[in-house]
Every structure is written in structure tokens, then in C-alpha cells.
Amino acid sequence: MNRLTLSAAVLTLAASAALPALAHQHALPGRAPDGAQRVVMICEQDAATRAAYRRDFGTRPVFVTADQALQARATGETWSAPRCMSAREHARLVSTLTSYAAVR
């Protein structure tokens, strides 16, 4: 039992040392140097979603299409709060980005 406890403690210590570095690496690529970002979330268009979005971000949700998200990506446009997208538009965006990646 002591070996198990000791092993768990060592693994926890190693994970706690490694996780901040990993989190830092994954947070940087999506952010511009000034803290602006280009985040798109899948949102429903119901009252509960609008209320939750307003509570979390302080503004009403702004919906974009896959084409608008790709245009923002191409021009380097950023925004202070995430934009919303329907599940169907998100599928279109993922499909388009996948085909771009396949070409590269």
C-alpha cells in the first residue's frame, strides 16, 4: 500500500510540474500579441443560451457563418468576445479547414 501511495504522489508531483508548461503552449497560438483572439463557439439561438453568453461575456452573442470566420482568419481580424456559430455552420467550417489541411 505504501508503494502505491508513493507512486501516486510522485505522479501527481510530476503532473503538477508539467501541466502549466503544457497549458502555456496551447494557449499562445490562438491569441494575438495584444490579447485579442478569434474564437468561435457552437451556440444555440434560444433564450437560455443568450442569457448564459451575456452572463459570461457581457454582450449579446454575435453569430457568424463559416465564410465569415474564414474571411476573418484570412484578414487577421480579431474580436474581444467569442463569436457564435450554428452546428451546421461549424461543420462547414471544419470541412473547409480539413480540406485546406489536406492540400498542404
Side-chain angles (χ1 to χ4, degrees):
M1 190 69 159
N2 283 338
R3 286 184 185 176
L4 181 62
T5 305
L6 181 60
S7 297
V10 169
L11 287 174
T12 303
L13 182 60
S16 67
L19 287 178
L22 294 174
H24 183 67
Q25 288 174 349
H26 292 294
L28 290 177
R31 296 193 181 271
D34 61 355
Q37 54 189 346
R38 188 174 40 254
V39 176
V40 178
M41 301 176 7
I42 298 175
C43 303
E44 296 293 327
Q45 295 189 10
D46 60 351
T49 301
R50 285 192 302 271
Y53 188 94
R54 191 169 299 209
R55 180 187 64 237
D56 291 344
F57 302 108
T59 62
R60 65 176 182 75
V62 176
F63 282 82
V64 295
T65 64
D67 294 334
Q68 290 170 330
L70 290 170
Q71 183 65 28
R73 179 179 183 239
T75 61
E77 178 184 354
T78 59
W79 40 74
S80 59
R83 297 291 197 242
C84 286
M85 183 177 282
S86 69
R88 183 176 179 162
E89 285 295 317
H90 182 263
R92 285 186 57 222
L93 178 64
V94 169
S95 175
T96 304
L97 291 174
T98 302
S99 65
Y100 285 169
V103 171
R104 290 184 156 197

